[in-house]
Amino acid sequence: MDKGTLNLYTIPEDKLQEKKLIGSGGFGEVYKAWHKDWGHLVALKKLNTKHVQNGQEQLLLEAKKMLCALSIDHVLRMYGLCRCSDASFGLVMEYMENGSLARLQALVKPLPWALKFRVLHEINLGMNRLHDLCPPLLHLDLKPQNVLLNKDLHIKISDFGLSRFKRGITLPQDVPPADGTLEFMAPELLDDVNCCPTKASDVYSYAILIWSVLKGEEPYSNAMSSVIKLHVPRGQRPSLEFLQDLYNHVERLEDIKSLMVKCWHQEPSERPSFKDCIQTTREIFKAHEHQEGKAVCDVWDALKKMETSLEQERWEVPSSTTLSSSPTSGLLANFKTMTLEQPPSLMNEAVPLSDPSSRTPQGFNSTGLPPPTAGAQGTRKKITDVTPQPPINGTGYPKTPVSSADPYMQGPYASTPSSQTTPARPGSQTRITGTVSYLQIGDNNKMDIRHTRRKTKTKK
């Protein structure tokens, strides 16, 4: 790309304000930014500093290819290049409010069928236009992470970082094959290191993407990379068992399955083109089009509820914790209050560290477990059935051995401090409850357990 062309599409970095990191990868980072002259949001894809030297040429090549696809409705639009402060370039692109298809599948389970079929049809339309360019443009990394959605949940195909221009039947020798993503790579690319990607390679990736959309999951999620590399070239594909119970409930499901199987055919020459697929995906979507509006509204509502829930958690969680901005913040809703209803394992008993010589209390063996007693096996009680035990001594253990049938009352925190020697009163019961004020995922966790007693009235 010559200097004059670069100047024509260069956007000054100071025009991009309020930059916020929204994604990152091996190539670098993606930022959301406000273009102060245009008055709307854009996305800035910027190389990592360590990749500036080696990746600059590839980034400019990607920009050139995206310019060739400016007129395609379902391909992400590029506005220009940004010359960054570190002398590198970034791509200024259309901002997609709802992120990637992979993100949406993770947040909304399951996606409505009408939206699934619309997504698959629009991907087909976009890829057909890319292959129809002169020369054709191959994507070679088609997957849910590279399919983005705007505010109306229409799709745009993105990330041409691994794309190659196809010249004639094969690629020039100085252009190496793309690495792609293993789960979505065609078998011929896995089986032959000298194989050059073709249009059929993208069609195969589309078939695996169809499976991912129908299932709502990543393919081969339980398989190691070595197993995928070995068995996909031998003809193995993702399981279709999950479709068996859906044929009577989802219209035209058999048709999309048939198309998917054709597109992942072992022989590239037997796979249909995207142009051949358009009529089928259009008819399938048309059968569900009357539910399109409701499907979009349902997804909007689901996303809005999640945003509202996360916002409430930010207010409820104390400021001393960092969970409000953590990906695990959604876990808090499941940990508001917990009640111990099953006895904990004795193997998890806490042992005081201050006096090693006293780690084995009276009545316990060298492993820290009570000796077996008759009738002890299988004895498990709910917490409400436990009778309080005698108070502990200064070492943190009971003065007398406790029954192994009552494991709740064992350990250094089983009863009240030794200064409180009030004997247990008949008819009293013990119940352990806890309210989580904050939750930390990782090391150095703690839990504050407060002991209370509840009296039960006895009839006179």
Side-chain angles (χ1 to χ4, degrees), residues 9-204:
Y9 296 103
T10 298
I11 299 172
E13 187 176 21
D14 59 5
K15 299 291 184 181
L16 305 180
Q17 300 179 343
E18 303 174 18
K19 288 196 290 288
K20 179 181 180 182
L21 182 66
I22 58 175
S24 62
F27 66 91
E29 296 84 29
V30 177
Y31 296 86
K32 176 177 69 173
W34 178 264
H35 197 296
K36 68 176 184 178
D37 288 351
W38 298 347
H40 64 76
L41 292 170
V42 297
L44 172 64
K45 178 180 179 180
K46 184 180 176 182
L47 288 173
N48 270 333
T49 305
K50 63 180 180 180
H51 295 317
V52 168
Q53 297 297 328
N54 297 330
Q56 193 89 314
E57 184 178 349
Q58 182 64 31
L59 189 73
L60 298 181
L61 180 60
E62 180 178 355
K64 183 178 179 180
K65 290 177 288 187
M66 292 186 72
L67 288 175
C68 296
L70 279 179
S71 61
I72 301 178
D73 289 338
H74 297 298
V75 174
L76 191 68
R77 183 179 181 184
M78 192 195 75
Y79 296 125
L81 292 168
C82 174
R83 190 183 295 274
C84 302
S85 56
D86 58 1
S88 66
F89 285 100
L91 297 184
V92 181
M93 302 175 292
E94 184 178 6
Y95 174 67
M96 303 294 282
E97 291 85 351
N98 280 306
S100 70
L101 177 59
R103 172 184 175 273
L104 187 67
Q105 288 184 151
L107 292 177
V108 183
K109 291 180 177 290
L111 288 176
W113 287 101
L115 184 58
K116 289 183 179 183
F117 292 131
R118 188 177 83 174
V119 163
L120 293 175
H121 180 53
E122 291 180 349
I123 294 172
N124 192 10
L125 292 175
M127 289 302 303
N128 178 57
R129 291 290 304 278
L130 289 175
H131 283 192
D132 197 45
L133 292 173
C134 188
L137 181 58
L138 307 182
H139 192 285
L140 303 185
D141 198 21
L142 187 60
K143 58 184 179 180
Q145 287 82 352
N146 290 336
V147 176
L148 306 182
L149 299 106
N150 64 13
K151 62 181 179 180
D152 297 319
L153 299 178
H154 288 287
I155 73 100
K156 296 289 182 80
I157 300 169
S158 73
D159 201 344
F160 292 78
L162 296 175
S163 300
R164 301 285 187 269
F165 273 113
K166 179 177 180 296
R167 294 176 175 86
I169 297 177
T170 61
L171 293 174
Q173 293 183 357
D174 60 342
V175 179
D179 293 333
T181 300
L182 183 63
E183 293 82 358
F184 293 83
M185 286 181 67
E188 61 271 17
L189 300 180
L190 296 174
D191 193 44
D192 184 358
V193 295
N194 296 311
C195 180
C196 290
T198 64
K199 291 181 179 180
S201 306
D202 278 344
V203 173
Y204 177 89

Side-chain angles (χ1 to χ4, degrees), residues 197 223 266 292 459:
Q266 189 74 7
E292 177 185 9
K459 294 182 179 181

Side-chain angles (χ1 to χ4, degrees), residues 264-280:
W264 69 31
H265 198 282
Q266 189 74 7
E267 292 297 326
S269 60
E270 295 296 324
R271 299 170 198 157
S273 66
F274 282 108
K275 184 177 180 180
D276 297 332
C277 299
I278 286 179
Q279 186 62 28
T280 301

